[in-house]
Amino acid sequence: MPKKDPELDYKSPSTPNPFAPRFTEIATFMRMPIAQTLKDADIGIFGVPYDGALTNRAGTRHGPREVRNQSSLMRAINHATRINPFELARIRDMGDVPFTRMFEIEASHDEIEAFATMLLGADILPFAIGGDHSISLPLLRAIAKDGPVALIHIDAHADTTDSFQGSKFNHGAPFRRAVEEGLIDPAKTIQIGIRGTQNTSDGWDFSEASGMRVVFCEEFHEKGPAAIAAEARALVGDMPVYLTYDIDSLDPVYAPGTGTPEIGGMTTHQAQVLLRGLRNLNYVGADLVEVSPPFDAGDVTSLAGAALAFEILCLLAEVRSKRQS
Ligand code: MN
Ligand code: MN
């Protein structure tokens, strides 16, 4: 018998295990295994630790790590829908996009696009945790290669403004660029929760002139999240749809840890009802962005991010399981 070499035979006991005590082990998204291969995943959650395109307070590069940490608090079954995403799909933490040129926005966007393209090539449904909102543009470039997709965009901001400080790719512009590049169909786009002061109305005007449905937060509060979800479902139909969730859609009471907070926003409960009203759409990808831990208080924003990411994961797992059968 050859003698065992403890150096070579060592296997970390900290392989994520959803039934281990929740405070133990290395934090991964939803306590899912870190992917070792592209062959055994249906849904890939990955971090995009990037904040090079922010126009105001930075810090979203720290988002993925803290959302991973707070996602340790998630358990398996959604109490409202009874969906257990982990039974419906093989979910893996794909790690973070490995940046090599973080000081260049366009190069970083190319690296994000390449990472998502790799997952899509392996038939893995991509779910990105950001990162500032500029990351949605390269993700859409990867996803919409065969033509424009529908978009459900939940945010305080329309993110359809133009250049800032000489860059067309700042975090306030991704969906203007996505329209220009033919990545999203503006007539099949709904923006939900829009509010806050602006210096010009250019972004809102672009959204409405291009044909997007813009639901300002006053209308959201008046009609309620279930009615707005029903409208979004009807608008999107069975078209391939991308879901993008900016944490600043929440009121700063619930999500102070973000770069551009706006009062008058959604409660966490309203956000849950809204997302639960978006079941069984033809999802081709999703992201949750703008969690900025340096501005957080008691981890409430990262917790909200993790809990809403769980809701989105339930949506993705449900449709992914039906696609396989
Ligand atoms: Mn945004
Ligand atoms: Mn925003």
Side-chain angles (χ1 to χ4, degrees):
M1 283 283 286
K3 213 173 163 224
K4 271 195 147 195
D5 180 344
E7 292 284 339
L8 292 176
D9 294 334
Y10 179 75
K11 190 172 181 304
S12 170
S14 285
T15 302
N17 167 11
F19 297 100
R22 317 196 69 76
F23 52 87
T24 63
E25 314 211 335
I26 294 166
T28 61
F29 287 122
M30 309 294 162
R31 314 188 83 207
M32 286 295 100
I34 298 168
Q36 306 294 331
T37 168
L38 292 174
K39 290 181 183 153
D40 62 2
D42 300 315
I43 299 173
I45 314 180
F46 58 103
V48 188
Y50 184 71
D51 56 12
L54 285 165
T55 57
N56 192 6
R57 311 192 300 182
T60 58
R61 68 177 64 182
H62 304 288
R65 185 169 286 197
E66 289 309 313
V67 172
R68 277 192 177 94
N69 195 21
Q70 291 301 314
S71 77
S72 297
L73 292 167
M74 300 305 110
R75 301 184 189 86
I77 304 170
N78 186 315
H79 76 271
T81 63
R82 295 298 171 103
I83 293 173
N84 178 339
F86 311 106
E87 281 181 356
L88 293 174
R90 297 171 300 171
I91 299 161
R92 297 288 182 272
D93 185 327
M94 309 306 298
D96 287 345
V97 171
F99 289 110
T100 63
R101 295 163 72 189
M102 290 198 85
F103 296 106
E104 299 168 42
I105 294 180
E106 286 161 75
S108 296
H109 283 181
D110 288 346
E111 292 182 328
I112 296 166
E113 181 184 347
F115 193 87
T117 299
M118 175 184 72
L119 300 187
L120 290 161
D123 198 25
I124 298 171
L125 190 57
F127 182 17
I129 307 292
D132 69 51
H133 218 154
S134 77
I135 69 168
S136 297
L137 180 64
L139 294 169
L140 284 165
R141 284 175 181 154
I143 284 163
K145 287 209 162 77
D146 298 328
V149 299
L151 181 73
I152 298 175
H153 173 203
I154 304 166
D155 199 330
H157 310 99
D159 293 349
T160 45
T161 53
D162 212 337
S163 294
F164 182 78
Q165 291 284 307
S167 177
K168 290 163 59 180
F169 301 104
N170 69 79
H171 79 145
F175 304 112
R176 190 178 188 124
R177 300 287 91 83
V179 171
E180 291 169 352
E181 295 182 23
L183 306 175
I184 58 172
D185 179 350
K188 294 287 180 182
T189 293
I190 183 166
Q191 303 189 299
I192 303 169
I194 308 304
R195 63 189 189 275
T197 54
Q198 295 286 345
N199 287 329
T200 76
S201 61
D202 179 55
W204 307 323
D205 295 345
F206 179 90
S207 289
E208 291 178 333
S210 69
M212 294 180 186
R213 168 73 167 107
V214 184
V215 182
F216 282 85
C217 217
E218 287 69 22
E219 184 183 357
F220 176 84
H221 286 303
E222 194 180 310
K223 292 185 174 168
I228 298 300
E231 187 184 340
R233 266 201 323 273
L235 180 78
V236 165
D238 55 11
M239 204 173 158
V241 58
Y242 188 81
L243 174 62
T244 183
Y245 194 98
D246 186 326
I247 203 72
D248 70 29
S249 57
L250 296 177
D251 192 273
V253 163
Y254 302 92
T258 195
T260 322
E262 310 285 358
I263 68 164
M266 295 180 198
T267 68
T268 44
H269 175 66
Q270 286 175 319
Q272 286 174 313
V273 172
L274 175 62
L275 289 169
R276 289 171 193 159
L278 298 173
R279 289 173 67 177
N280 294 309
L281 296 176
N282 185 13
Y283 290 110
V284 288
D287 64 46
L288 184 140
V289 297
E290 298 281 348
V291 173
S292 184
F295 292 101
D296 210 355
D299 300 326
V300 293
T301 312
S302 301
L303 175 63
L308 296 177
F310 176 78
E311 295 288 342
I312 293 168
L313 189 60
C314 290
L315 300 176
L316 299 180
E318 188 173 37
V319 296
R320 188 66 175 77
S321 69
K322 286 175 185 167
R323 249 172 237 164
Q324 283 166 322
S325 55

